[in-house]
């Protein structure tokens, strides 16, 4: 599982979605004037498509600068992806059963650090960017749903297809959708992170974990 997670993670928002099943190669897509302001957050499928187009066009346009300064990838993730990820919900899910043992101030400190940790994690994964091939199951009616699973398969020559499901959640306040998890081959990356940090939070407290993630978030992005 650990060997495929980097490839899976770099697919977050790096895809195009349509109502019909199709195969898509990762490549920058042409954007229309003002498309950066036209992300449809009321439709999870259209949202992912538009954000993918914007992100990968920018990724391609800034390749020379990225090779000289890989930390630019953090800027791209922060500016193009994070607005469409419900990092607060994900952070609270990671706290999990320890929630009542934490206080408001501890949680207020943890959430932005967890966001920065996600930014660094995703930015590092983007150093592995290459032209993976992805097939999407047909989009479904989501009018009565609060959580949508966007089901995909990742295809690379000489390897078995990898089933990926993107979890996107609808806000009860704004009716807008944001991603919060990926499930790879039946394994939730958010659940895995919760299992990893839950005992640390219980044993050493949320403030300790916040400081630990803060240190990880400050690491430079490197090409390996």
């Amino acid at each position: 599982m650990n060997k495929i997670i980097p490839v899976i993670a770099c697919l977050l928002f790096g895809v195009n979605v349509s109502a019909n099943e199709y195969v898509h190669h990762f490549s920058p897509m042409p954007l229309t004037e003002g498309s950066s302001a036209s992300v449809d957050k009321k439709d999870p499928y259209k949202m992912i498509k538009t954000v993918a187009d914007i992100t990968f066009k920018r990724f391609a346009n800034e390749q020379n600068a990225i090779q000289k300064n890989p930390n630019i990838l953090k800027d791209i993730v922060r500016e193009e992806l994070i607005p469409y990820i419900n990092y607060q919900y994900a952070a609270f899910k990671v706290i999990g059963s320890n929630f009542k043992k934490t206080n408001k101030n501890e949680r207020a400190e943890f959430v932005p650090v967890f966001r920065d940790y996600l930014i660094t994690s995703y930015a590092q994964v983007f150093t592995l960017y290459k032209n993976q091939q992805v097939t999407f199951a047909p989009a479904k009616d989501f009018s009565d749903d609060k959580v949508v699973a966007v089901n995909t398969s990742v295809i690379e020559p000489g390897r078995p297809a990898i089933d990926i499901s993107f979890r996107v959640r609808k806000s009860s306040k704004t009716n807008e959708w944001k991603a919060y998890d990926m499930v790879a081959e039946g394994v939730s990356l958010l659940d895995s992170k919760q299992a990893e940090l839950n005992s640390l939070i219980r044993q050493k407290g949320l403030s300790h974990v916040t400081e630990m993630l803060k240190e990880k978030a400050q690491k430079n992005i490197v090409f390996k």
Side-chain angles (χ1 to χ4, degrees), residues 136-153:
F136 277 77
K140 298 179 180 179
D141 177 24
F142 57 88
S143 56
D144 295 326
D145 295 328
K146 295 182 179 179
V147 174
V148 165
V150 181
N151 297 317
T152 76
S153 292

Side-chain angles (χ1 to χ4, degrees), residues 8-172:
I8 291 166
C10 76
L11 300 177
L12 181 60
F13 295 113
V15 292
N16 284 336
V17 182
S18 73
N20 299 314
E21 184 176 41
Y22 68 100
V23 175
H24 174 72
H25 289 274
F26 287 101
S27 57
M29 303 292 290
L31 296 180
T32 58
E33 186 81 26
S35 61
S36 61
S38 61
V39 176
D40 186 356
K41 290 185 284 188
K42 298 297 178 66
D43 184 321
Y45 301 100
K46 290 181 180 178
M47 179 191 74
I48 289 176
K49 178 185 184 302
T50 306
V51 173
D53 292 348
I54 294 169
T55 301
F56 277 85
K57 182 182 181 187
R58 183 171 173 186
F59 183 87
N61 289 344
E62 299 185 30
Q63 268 302 295
N64 289 339
I66 290 169
Q67 293 298 321
K68 295 176 182 178
N69 178 15
N71 283 326
I72 290 174
L73 288 169
K74 288 188 181 185
D75 296 333
I76 296 176
V77 171
R78 182 182 299 106
E79 295 164 15
E80 310 299 354
L81 299 187
I82 287 299
Y84 309 99
I85 297 176
N86 193 338
Y87 57 83
Q88 177 170 306
Y89 179 76
F92 285 176
K93 290 281 285 184
V94 165
I95 295 172
S97 60
N98 296 301
F99 193 87
K100 292 183 178 180
K101 299 177 183 178
T102 65
N103 60 53
K104 185 177 180 180
N105 289 337
E106 288 175 329
R107 295 191 295 271
E109 292 177 359
F110 178 73
V111 170
V113 170
F114 186 76
R115 176 199 61 205
D116 291 345
Y117 169 69
L118 287 180
I119 289 170
T120 298
S121 298
Y122 286 132
Q124 183 59 52
V125 162
F126 266 101
T127 64
L128 302 174
Y129 172 82
K130 54 184 178 180
N131 291 329
Q132 283 86 6
Q133 193 180 75
V134 178
T135 62
F136 277 77
K140 298 179 180 179
D141 177 24
F142 57 88
S143 56
D144 295 326
D145 295 328
K146 295 182 179 179
V147 174
V148 165
V150 181
N151 297 317
T152 76
S153 292
V154 181
I155 301 171
E156 286 195 82
R159 296 185 179 183
I162 302 168
D163 292 328
I164 311 294
S165 180
F166 297 93
R167 300 301 195 224
V168 191
R169 184 174 181 267
K170 183 179 181 179
S171 168
S172 59

